[in-house]
Amino acid sequence: MKNKYDYLELQKKWEKKWKNAKIYQPDLDSAKKPYYVLYMFPYPSAEGLHVGHAFSGTGADVYARFMRMKGYDVFHPMGFDAFGIHSENYALKINDHPKNLIDRATKHFRQQFDSLGFSYDWSHTVNTSSPDYYKWTQWLFIQLFKAGLAEKKKALVNWCPSCKTVLADEQVVSGKNVGMTHHSVYARDEDERLRVCERCGTAVEYRELEQWFFKITKYADRLLEGLDRIDWTEKVKLAQRNWIGRKEGSLIRFSVLGSQFSANSQSASLLTGQLKTDQPNSDNRQQKTDTPEFIEVFTTRPDTNFGATFIALAPEHRLALKLTTPQNKDKVSKYIERSKKKTEQERMEEGREKTGIFSGSYAINDLTGEKMPIWISDFVLMEFGTGAVVGVPGHDKRDFQFAQKFGLPIKRVVVGKDGDTSPIASIEQVQEEEGKMINSGFLNGLDIKDAIKAMMDHLEAKGFGKREVTYHLRDWLISRQRYWGAPIPMVYCSNCANRGDSWFTTSKPKSHHREISNFKFQISNSAHKMRGWFPVPEEDLPVVLPYIENFKPLGTGVAPLAQDKKFVNTKCPVCHGPAKRETDVCDTFLDSAWYFLRYLATESDKIPFPSKAFASENSENSDIQRQSDSQTIRQSDSTEFSESSGMVKRTRFLPINMYIGGAEHSVLHLLYSRFVTKVLFDLKFLDFDEPFTKFRAHGLLIKDGAKMSKSRGNVVNPDNYIQRFGSDTLRCYLMFIGPFSQGGDFRDSGMEGMERFLKRVRKLIESNLASAIGQPQAKKNQSDKSSAKFSANSKIEKSINRAIKRVGEDVENLRYNTALAKIMELVNDLNESKANIAPKHLKTFVILLAPFAPYLSEELWEKLQSSVFSSQFSESGKSFDQLTGKQKTVKPKSDNRQQRTDNRSVHLQPWPSFDESSLSEEEATVAVQVNGRLRSQLTIDSSQLTNKELVKQKARNDQKVSKYLKGQQVRKVIYVPGKIINFVV
RNA sequence: GGGCGAGUGGCGGAAUGGUAUACGCGGUAGUCUCAAAAACUACUAGUCGCAAGGCUGUGUGGGUUCGACUCCCUCCUCGCCCACCA
């Protein structure tokens, strides 16, 4: 009797053999059919992998194994996203150093991955916190800087007081979903929202700081356009579209009444010095065009402008105070001060109640000539549009609330479907979506859609405004005032700054980068802003992150690295005078924005990833390359070799064929990766501009009806289940639990069912083997003679063929739950059959199971190979070890490389093909309906299925059917061959 | 408030215009056993009926169709994402 602990021995045995035989390591340079399957790498948390990772990782692994069996050279690597706040925060919590923590955690993760039977190629792995990785992260930063896409500027940014660092917009989330109990100080109702830190759940504040940004907004339109060319889970594409948030509207300029505010730049700059003046997305548009005589607003609904009754400015707006009349100055500055100091928490307490204050000034609505009071209110966001809005209370609910509260006039200019033309007195009457224009001069009678166009034209013709596109997307805030990240590889030289010099003014493009002339962006854009800044020379990379014992964030807006004088003080690369290093580190999302490229070149410390751009480089690089690669690549192949200085052949693995991961990365990792890829494409390092040809989001596992989370305490660790059931059972169970794209409900009871199934599988194979070995001759004679056995065998053949087809189709589409159901059906069919099953059929069956249960399949495959029974059917009885795909001693000729024989691992077997003709049935069951209701079923010979008259006659004669047809007039007969016949009476 | 998705037996789920509930879990009965476990066999949507057989049934109400879980419209519920976005 086999006991449960067999599983673990089995796993150990095959893990070792697989590793020695390198069956999961494709030859990256000479692969014939390269195929890159990638599963998002995890950040190695101290808790280890949870069962959700096991679920999604298994799904990716099944796919990789399937494609491998389909004949592709599958590259399926794994690594660790080991830098970042998450690791650092945990290290702080347990009072350890992140370096130690990561070393421990990655070991644990590796062991867990292996025990799940994942077919990763561990000869190519990455750890983003290792200097040989982040050297290239820094290199990437420098490429962006040189292209004018990285910029340090003062900005109002999100600040997490707990993590003591700034955060990108994407990393600020709605507090509702963050179940951090220790932050329950911010007790809040269901509907209340709080902008909180994605990592720790603390409410974020605004601070104005000097920060590094990547100009991702320059790519907004291309990031949108690219979505149409890639095969991704639709909802993730949608999330990106929404995040980019492209909106077309009009920029309208309103003139301010009166001349008492003639330009006084002194006071203007006083104010802007303290407020957000350099909005990433704005390109200083409003600063240049807004003068005290004019206010610019952005609106997507210019059609409603006949109904405009006021103007509202954000408190941070540079004209807010400037436009305020002397008698209102005190009140207004108080209001502005209060708004600035307001924390998110205080805003919560105020709820959605609108606040605001009148500036005392008026603007003119050029359309009507009417005076519109200018108000200051914090419901207007400085971050969006121009930081000023035109209030149309009749057709915008927020404007309505504001107007109602402060007694501003409300005008109706749209009539909706309900035909209501009465004055708008309640918020329910505010028509925002549809209708026809009234009280709007030349627009009257137009549908709002046409009116929008007409008004845009009108505004442009009259010079009141122009068409404008805005985006929700902000520039990517890349710097972090933390320790555990890649140091930003920049040096600031105050001497050069005083002279007005920067890298852009001092570098001769050629001497710094051979490709500089290809840069798409005008370097001069950045030149005047980046005075004093120089990238660390690329040959000096990496800028090593020094080991700092006390790495705690300081909370002063200065990074911990600033404490390390040895690190900070350096020489200017240009004037060689004293200079200072940047002490901020890179956002973790920069590490993960390009890791998929690195996997392909982990052997090289000369190039970051395979690229033709590196291949044509001068000979010194390829010499170095030759040395490092010479152990593995034959000396004679010198031509092939010099080409491979850029590992050019490996580029055939790019872009990623199949990427699998969580939908929670929709607007973070997946957007950043696309951006970085597009930049590298523009810089001619890559010849594709979308990194992931196909992306599929996996679903979430839930437990007891709730999402698994630490705070709920319902996180399941896969280790216990591997111990108890073995990972084959766990893998199959996870894949069977529900559709891969939707996830499922994790319950122990289902695991036992899957264990039973795999036991039945083992029994099926072993009993067939046993009986065959016992009496091979007798059986053979029998089956030849007995017609019953013959028909049983043809039935088996049919079942097998059907299974090959259906399982293959399901796996291809990641429908693993139904694929397994079909494998189960096959087992049921095979068990029902009383005849012994031919070895080729058993083999086929084991192959179908292999992607799901790699250990058991391999074990059974070995048994099928080595048995006396089997040796009659295969050419050779040699063992797995001798005949794996990758022999260590003799390099196989390339012709033979792809050769697959039965004697190799089951995981290197070709996926079976099926015989279409054997799928056809001799007879079919046709359902008979009367008026669409099922009344009977007929068994019809296949050859007669196309004969409608015959089927009709048979159906009519059927006893059950005739009962219903008696005395009725048949008006119509619908026949779907082989499926259904319907009498309409 | 906006967007997206989903609602099917006791449970997880199958079926995307053609015989609803595949596959599995759970349950009931039986075989084996001194007994239990395991394994195996049969049944398992509800309802009326001894049975044959009938009727009802995919969140709600309507529509299209010979025929609807599937397509269209109304409403309800749940989940996820986004949100004072002008």
Side-chain angles (χ1 to χ4, degrees):
Chain A
M1 186 73 195
K2 310 251 175 190
N3 71 45
K4 286 184 174 178
Y5 299 101
D6 269 0
Y7 297 135
L8 298 177
E9 280 169 39
L10 198 75
Q11 287 176 211
K12 242 192 266 163
K13 167 183 165 185
W14 288 114
E15 270 159 35
K16 204 172 147 197
K17 291 197 180 196
W18 290 336
K19 196 179 168 190
N20 290 339
K22 301 182 179 177
I23 69 167
Y24 304 131
Q25 298 178 19
D27 186 328
L28 297 179
D29 295 305
S30 60
K32 285 218 170 85
K33 291 173 77 180
Y35 197 91
Y36 194 162
V37 180
L38 186 62
Y39 170 57
M40 287 179 182
F41 67 165
Y43 91 85
S45 73
E47 287 86 7
L49 281 180
H50 62 76
V51 77
H53 290 117
F55 169 74
S56 41
T58 302
D61 185 58
V62 169
Y63 192 82
R65 287 177 179 278
F66 175 72
M67 293 310 285
R68 199 175 285 124
M69 293 171 102
K70 278 287 206 184
Y72 290 94
D73 296 283
V74 171
F75 183 47
H76 189 39
M78 182 45 64
F80 300 102
D81 192 12
F83 255 154
I85 293 183
H86 32 63
S87 308
E88 192 183 319
N89 281 356
Y90 191 81
L92 283 167
K93 195 171 145 196
I94 63 167
N95 202 18
D96 199 348
H97 195 276
K99 175 91 175 70
N100 301 336
L101 182 74
I102 287 299
D103 286 349
R104 279 201 309 274
T106 49
K107 269 187 204 125
H108 185 207
F109 266 62
R110 172 71 197 271
Q111 175 264 317
Q112 282 184 305
F113 277 137
D114 283 344
S115 73
L116 279 160
F118 291 160
S119 60
Y120 295 142
D121 177 355
W122 283 110
S123 66
H124 293 90
T125 185
V126 301
N127 175 333
T128 56
S129 69
S130 138
D132 48 329
Y133 182 88
Y134 69 72
K135 165 181 178 179
W136 299 111
T137 307
Q138 293 170 335
W139 173 88
L140 180 61
F141 184 101
I142 290 172
Q143 305 316 307
L144 274 123
F145 175 81
K146 289 180 175 175
L149 289 168
E151 197 171 274
K152 193 168 198 182
K153 57 191 175 186
K154 203 171 242 191
L156 198 67
V157 294
N158 305 300
W159 173 264
C160 173
S162 169
C163 293
K164 299 190 170 75
T165 184
V166 297
L167 300 169
D169 263 22
E170 290 85 345
Q171 289 151 19
V172 176
V173 298
S174 165
K176 210 168 77 178
N177 300 319
V178 180
M180 302 299 286
T181 46
H182 59 279
H183 289 293
S184 56
V185 246
Y186 304 108
R188 47 196 181 260
D189 296 340
E190 275 301 296
D191 285 351
E192 280 181 336
R193 306 163 322 280
L194 203 54
R195 295 176 70 249
V196 302
C197 169
E198 178 213 24
R199 294 266 34 113
C200 72
T202 307
V204 300
E205 298 163 0
Y206 289 112
R207 282 204 188 179
E208 198 192 34
L209 295 165
E210 280 257 313
Q211 299 291 327
W212 285 97
F213 287 90
F214 281 167
K215 297 181 176 177
I216 190 172
T217 51
K218 289 208 181 247
Y219 282 75
D221 279 326
R222 286 172 63 199
L223 287 166
L224 270 180
E225 174 275 323
L227 290 173
D228 300 330
R229 290 184 276 121
I230 50 184
D231 176 12
W232 281 26
T233 300
E234 208 47 49
K235 73 183 235 191
V236 172
K237 283 199 202 179
L238 195 74
Q240 293 213 351
R241 284 196 186 98
N242 289 340
W243 188 261
I244 294 166
R246 184 180 202 275
K247 287 208 172 113
E248 289 176 21
S250 283
L251 197 65
I252 306 177
R253 177 191 273 211
F254 291 104
S255 38
V256 176
L257 202 61
S259 56
Q260 70 267 46
F261 314 112
S262 54
N264 182 339
S265 56
Q266 194 90 39
S267 66
S269 61
L270 237 171
L271 191 64
T272 55
Q274 296 160 0
L275 290 170
K276 186 174 195 173
T277 61
D278 206 2
Q279 239 305 303
N281 197 25
S282 63
D283 286 338
N284 295 341
R285 184 180 58 221
Q286 70 272 25
Q287 277 73 29
K288 280 172 196 148
T289 50
D290 276 339
T291 67
E293 287 81 28
F294 298 103
I295 294 171
E296 283 202 328
V297 303
F298 175 76
T299 176
T300 54
R301 292 292 306 279
D303 56 312
T304 60
N305 258 244
F306 281 98
T309 58
F310 66 93
I311 297 278
L313 305 181
E316 296 90 347
H317 198 283
R318 67 198 301 262
L319 295 180
L321 208 54
K322 214 161 166 243
L323 286 172
T324 301
T325 51
Q327 59 268 41
N328 288 321
K329 218 127 209 162
D330 276 1
K331 282 190 287 182
V332 170
S333 35
K334 258 189 207 152
Y335 179 82
I336 292 174
E337 279 308 307
R338 217 179 69 220
S339 297
K340 269 172 65 186
K341 281 197 191 132
K342 245 189 235 178
T343 63
E344 284 293 325
Q345 201 179 349
E346 282 162 346
R347 281 194 193 177
M348 279 306 101
E349 281 154 16
E350 283 171 11
R352 280 169 178 253
E353 189 68 19
K354 299 280 181 291
T355 64
I357 190 147
F358 180 44
S359 69
S361 297
Y362 293 87
I364 295 291
N365 187 347
D366 290 315
L367 288 168
T368 59
E370 282 171 31
K371 272 167 65 177
M372 299 186 294
I374 299 169
W375 284 67
I376 317 295
S377 172
D378 64 8
F379 91 88
V380 181
L381 305 177
M382 195 57 216
E383 292 83 36
F384 194 83
T386 60
V389 300
V390 52
V392 184
H395 305 286
D396 181 289
K397 288 185 176 159
R398 291 157 311 183
D399 293 354
F400 178 83
Q401 287 171 338
F402 191 81
Q404 206 177 33
K405 176 156 180 190
F406 296 107
L408 298 164
I410 299 166
K411 273 168 79 179
R412 176 188 283 282
V413 290
V414 176
V415 192
K417 257 189 204 157
D418 55 10
D420 183 5
T421 55
S422 64
I424 296 164
S426 72
I427 194 149
E428 288 77 31
Q429 287 175 282
V430 175
Q431 176 54 261
E432 289 182 316
E433 270 136 39
E434 38 141 64
K436 286 193 160 41
M437 307 308 300
I438 55 165
N439 306 327
S440 294
F442 69 99
L443 294 176
N444 282 340
L446 287 179
D447 184 85
I448 60 169
K449 283 195 192 101
D450 303 322
I452 290 173
K453 283 190 202 110
M455 180 59 94
M456 284 178 167
D457 290 342
H458 181 77
L459 291 172
E460 288 185 344
K462 291 272 181 180
F464 299 154
K466 57 170 187 173
R467 281 179 165 82
E468 180 79 11
V469 177
T470 64
Y471 301 88
H472 173 254
L473 184 70
R474 310 275 114 189
D475 275 339
W476 179 8
L477 173 50
I478 207 81
S479 41
R480 295 290 179 276
Q481 290 73 49
R482 295 290 295 239
Y483 168 67
W484 194 237
I488 290 176
M490 297 295 299
V491 171
Y492 182 77
C493 171
S494 47
N495 285 338
C496 288
N498 289 338
R499 281 195 300 272
D501 278 343
S502 74
W503 179 84
F504 297 102
T505 60
T506 57
S507 67
K508 300 272 187 306
K510 259 186 188 161
S511 67
H512 278 263
H513 198 288
R514 65 182 175 82
E515 285 285 356
I516 201 89
S517 55
N518 289 324
F519 282 7
K520 245 191 170 163
F521 298 96
Q522 293 299 315
I523 289 162
S524 55
N525 270 355
S526 281
H528 67 283
K529 291 178 186 163
M530 298 311 298
R531 276 179 194 166
W533 284 106
F534 300 90
V536 171
E538 288 175 30
E539 57 272 22
D540 294 345
L541 295 179
V543 176
V544 176
L545 178 70
Y547 188 94
I548 297 186
E549 198 56 50
N550 181 17
F551 59 89
K552 227 180 243 169
L554 305 170
T556 53
V558 178
L561 283 178
Q563 303 165 96
D564 188 336
K565 296 295 168 231
K566 263 198 278 178
F567 175 85
V568 174
N569 292 316
T570 186
K571 272 185 191 163
C572 173
V574 171
C575 74
H576 305 291
K580 290 193 186 307
R581 286 188 195 279
E582 173 62 63
T583 55
D584 286 357
V585 299
C586 296
D587 179 13
T588 324
F589 281 98
L590 183 60
D591 303 325
S592 57
W594 73 281
Y595 77 110
F596 48 92
L597 299 171
R598 181 65 188 161
Y599 280 132
L600 286 164
T602 49
E603 300 97 321
S604 171
D605 61 352
K606 298 288 174 287
I607 60 171
F609 47 79
S611 169
K612 292 186 185 86
F614 302 118
S616 53
E617 204 122 335
N618 55 33
S619 56
E620 61 173 324
N621 257 5
S622 40
D623 282 342
I624 298 162
Q625 195 63 32
R626 182 170 302 165
Q627 268 186 350
S628 70
D629 277 9
S630 58
Q631 290 120 342
T632 47
I633 296 183
R634 275 161 299 170
Q635 210 67 45
S636 57
D637 266 348
S638 56
T639 44
E640 177 189 313
F641 189 62
S642 66
E643 239 182 291
S644 79
S645 65
M647 298 188 171
V648 172
K649 287 186 172 170
R650 298 187 179 189
T651 58
R652 296 175 311 135
F653 277 90
L654 294 169
I656 311 282
N657 300 88
M658 173 62 111
Y659 196 31
I660 291 174
E664 69 272 20
H665 293 106
S666 297
V667 292
L668 290 163
H669 164 61
L670 287 171
L671 192 66
Y672 295 146
S673 294
R674 294 183 59 224
F675 164 63
V676 165
T677 302
K678 284 178 192 301
V679 172
L680 290 172
F681 170 80
D682 287 345
L683 300 183
K684 302 221 185 324
F685 287 112
L686 298 176
D687 54 11
F688 55 91
D689 75 334
E690 284 291 343
F692 315 119
T693 309
K694 194 167 178 175
F695 168 74
R696 289 293 176 271
H698 61 250
L700 281 183
L701 276 194
I702 56 173
K703 168 89 174 151
D704 310 320
K707 192 172 162 178
M708 282 186 206
S709 70
K710 256 184 274 176
S711 57
R712 282 195 190 86
N714 62 350
V715 176
V716 177
N717 183 331
D719 295 357
N720 309 328
Y721 290 92
I722 294 173
Q723 290 287 320
R724 261 174 69 200
F725 297 101
S727 49
D728 284 328
T729 301
L730 178 63
R731 287 170 60 111
C732 290
Y733 170 65
L734 291 172
M735 293 301 92
F736 189 61
I737 207 167
F740 184 65
S741 59
Q742 279 163 49
D745 200 350
F746 187 91
R747 286 177 317 169
D748 289 14
S749 62
M751 194 83 67
E752 281 154 27
M754 193 51 77
E755 186 183 33
R756 269 200 293 260
F757 167 71
L758 291 180
K759 261 186 199 162
R760 277 202 298 277
V761 166
R762 196 164 60 188
K763 230 167 101 181
L764 173 74
I765 307 285
E766 283 172 357
S767 68
N768 270 283
L769 274 177
S771 70
I773 294 166
Q775 35 175 315
Q777 224 30 51
K779 188 205 158 243
K780 203 165 192 241
N781 294 341
Q782 248 182 21
S783 59
D784 283 347
K785 282 173 194 161
S786 150
S787 66
K789 289 244 165 102
F790 178 77
S791 97
N793 261 321
S794 93
K795 221 178 131 191
I796 288 169
E797 191 133 353
K798 195 162 288 175
S799 295
I800 296 256
N801 267 288
R802 243 161 56 96
I804 294 171
K805 181 177 191 309
R806 304 205 301 166
V807 173
E809 284 167 359
D810 280 354
V811 172
E812 205 158 351
N813 293 298
L814 278 63
R815 294 191 299 253
Y816 303 133
N817 56 331
T818 52
L820 270 165
K822 282 151 196 174
I823 292 175
M824 286 172 174
E825 281 182 67
L826 178 58
V827 171
N828 292 345
D829 285 354
L830 296 181
N831 270 330
E832 263 169 44
S833 155
K834 297 289 176 275
N836 279 321
I837 297 154
K840 64 170 180 179
H841 291 148
L842 293 177
K843 283 186 187 172
T844 303
F845 168 74
V846 171
I847 291 174
L848 295 187
L849 183 67
F852 296 93
Y855 299 103
L856 179 65
S857 314
E858 190 76 293
E859 181 73 12
L860 294 174
W861 184 257
E862 185 188 50
K863 283 189 176 159
L864 284 167
Q865 288 314 119
S866 59
S867 73
V868 182
F869 178 43
S870 164
S871 62
Q872 299 173 349
F873 297 88
S874 67
E875 289 114 51
S876 158
K878 283 185 195 165
S879 76
F880 175 89
D881 293 295
Q882 292 164 306
L883 272 167
T884 50
K886 315 257 171 167
Q887 283 133 323
K888 282 152 271 172
T889 45
V890 189
K891 192 149 180 127
K893 285 175 195 162
S894 57
D895 307 304
N896 294 337
R897 191 171 299 212
Q898 293 300 313
Q899 188 193 340
R900 285 154 195 261
T901 76
D902 282 6
N903 307 294
R904 294 164 53 185
S905 163
V906 69
H907 301 299
L908 300 175
Q909 298 306 314
W911 189 258
S913 53
F914 56 91
D915 178 6
E916 193 80 50
S917 66
S918 86
L919 289 175
S920 62
E921 303 281 338
E922 278 110 57
E923 44 192 34
T925 307
V926 175
V928 186
Q929 295 181 338
V930 179
N931 280 352
R933 296 188 73 98
L934 180 69
R935 293 305 176 189
S936 183
Q937 290 175 8
L938 295 175
T939 305
I940 308 278
D941 197 279
S942 293
S943 59
Q944 298 177 319
L945 278 177
T946 48
N947 188 341
K948 181 178 172 181
E949 282 310 308
L950 184 117
V951 175
K952 199 162 100 183
Q953 209 47 50
K954 277 200 171 179
R956 261 182 206 281
N957 295 340
D958 188 272
Q959 217 184 357
K960 294 177 211 158
V961 177
S962 59
K963 198 166 82 187
Y964 288 94
L965 293 179
K966 200 182 285 175
Q968 302 284 344
Q969 200 195 339
V970 175
R971 289 195 311 198
K972 202 172 170 188
V973 180
I974 290 120
Y975 177 56
V976 183
K979 292 237 162 142
I980 203 161
I981 182 158
N982 188 13
F983 292 92
V984 185
V985 299

